[in-house]
Amino acid sequence: MRLYPLLFLLLLVAAALAVLVGSGDLGDPALRDTFLKLRGYRLTAAFVAGAALAVGGVVVQGLFRNPLASPSVLGTTAGASFGGQVALLAYGLAGAGSSFVVPEMIVPIGCFIGALGALAVLLLFLRITQDLLALLLTGFVLSALFLSLSAFVSSVAQETWELGRAVVSFSLGSVSGTGPRQLSFALPLIGIALVASWFWGRSLDLLLSGEEEAQAMGANVGAARWWSALWVSVLVAGAVSVGGNVGFVGLVVPHMLRPFAGTKHQRLIPAAALAGGIFLVACDVVARLIPSRSEIPLGVVTGLIGAPLFLLLLIRLRRERAYAVS
């Protein structure tokens, strides 16, 4: 079966499971519409977040010419997570009545502010130097800084039980509380970033051959880096705003797809959007199936599934290279 028909079939299966699996009863006519709406919001949030993270992974791996890169290497993932935690902490300490923003929008706005802050520092360094290693190290330092600040925020939030629980839950990832307002805020931004990433696909293809060769073939390397960092930041901020801190999607999904979709970014990006959405929806279904008094966080499930899967992919890649050499 061809790639895209298979992905659409898997999407239908995942969507059906996402609606039907979990606690709840469709047999009660009085609650059926509300139940389906909540499951629909959750399904949409998981798919959108997975698509954004997977495409972000494709773009970052093309930008650094490194299949081990993930969207988190730019530091914007940690920045978005820190921004969301700070927004939760500020809202909890100030009290609901003092907010000028609709409560449901506190976290999405905080995520985008945090991601834009990390992006501003990253772009500042891009103006100073065009060295990819410097860019990678800057992203690493930003990630370490924001992770430390996030740990500090979590410690402060433990002063109040409800606030501490909310901050920890957000940091572990979940789409269970996502509603229409969060989706209406994140969807347009993620949609624009997905389309823009696709348009930059040809430049990313040229960058795979090296910077000098890409420039010789007409690619604007500086612009490609600048815009790639921008759109990855938007994708990550949108994903974190609706799904919290979820890992491994942007790392595993591109690896799974390249043997079938190839390395051309304008073909790989749409496939990654579909596969990433399917992967995260499936992980959300698994989170509901694990027997527990409370639902297992989505970020924990993606790590438990993504890490072994990534190791298997690396082993297969190494074997293929060994056969090719022999």
Side-chain angles (χ1 to χ4, degrees):
M1 184 181 291
R2 294 189 176 184
L3 178 61
Y4 284 101
L6 176 60
L7 289 176
F8 281 114
L9 177 61
L10 291 175
L11 177 58
L12 290 175
V13 173
L17 292 174
V19 172
L20 298 175
V21 171
S23 59
D25 185 9
L26 287 172
D28 188 349
L31 299 176
R32 185 181 302 153
D33 290 343
T34 302
F35 177 81
L36 290 175
K37 281 183 181 180
L38 292 175
R39 283 289 167 88
Y41 296 145
R42 184 167 182 164
L43 166 63
T44 305
F47 181 82
V48 168
L53 292 172
V55 172
V58 170
V59 175
V60 165
Q61 289 171 13
L63 178 64
F64 288 101
R65 304 193 299 276
N66 188 341
L68 297 179
S70 70
S72 62
V73 300
L74 294 179
T76 51
T77 303
S81 180
F82 170 67
Q85 289 178 328
V86 169
L88 275 173
L89 179 65
Y91 180 76
L93 294 178
S98 60
S99 176
F100 296 99
V101 182
V102 179
E104 294 92 329
M105 300 304 299
I106 294 291
V107 170
I109 292 174
C111 290
F112 272 92
I113 292 174
L116 290 177
L119 176 65
V121 177
L122 200 68
L123 295 181
L124 178 62
F125 274 85
L126 267 179
R127 293 190 65 178
I128 297 173
T129 177
Q130 293 294 318
D131 185 26
L132 272 182
L133 180 59
L135 180 62
L136 186 63
L137 291 175
T138 303
F140 174 78
V141 170
L142 285 174
S143 294
L145 173 63
F146 284 123
L147 287 173
S148 298
L149 291 172
S150 295
F152 173 75
V153 171
S154 297
S155 299
V156 174
Q158 300 308 313
E159 297 293 331
T160 306
W161 184 83
E162 296 86 353
L163 184 58
R165 180 181 175 87
V167 170
V168 171
S169 177
F170 171 77
S171 65
L172 293 176
S174 176
V175 292
S176 59
T178 305
R181 284 177 174 164
Q182 294 99 318
L183 289 173
S184 63
F185 178 78
L187 271 173
L189 295 170
I190 291 176
I192 292 170
L194 289 174
V195 174
S197 299
W198 182 84
F199 274 110
W200 280 98
R202 186 177 181 277
S203 296
L204 292 172
D205 290 341
L206 296 177
L207 283 175
L208 292 177
S209 60
E211 295 179 9
E212 295 181 359
E213 290 81 358
Q215 288 179 341
M217 289 184 284
N220 188 334
V221 175
R225 287 178 182 171
W226 198 95
W227 287 105
S228 295
L230 173 64
W231 298 126
V232 169
S233 300
V234 175
L235 290 169
V236 165
V240 174
S241 69
V242 297
N245 199 2
V246 178
F248 280 98
V249 181
L251 186 61
V252 171
V253 172
H255 274 281
M256 295 173 61
L257 283 176
R258 282 195 180 92
F260 309 100
T263 58
K264 296 292 183 182
H265 285 85
Q266 289 191 334
R267 174 174 169 80
L268 185 58
I269 285 174
L274 285 171
I278 295 167
F279 178 78
L280 201 57
V281 170
C283 288
D284 186 45
V285 172
V286 172
R288 297 178 225 169
L289 290 174
I290 297 175
S292 174
R293 292 184 62 183
S294 59
E295 189 174 293
I296 303 299
L298 183 57
V300 174
V301 176
T302 58
L304 291 174
I305 295 175
L309 185 58
F310 184 65
L311 289 176
L312 291 174
L313 291 170
L314 287 180
I315 293 172
R316 189 189 69 179
L317 181 62
R318 184 176 180 180
R319 287 177 178 174
E320 289 177 352
R321 288 181 177 177
Y323 289 142
V325 171
S326 61

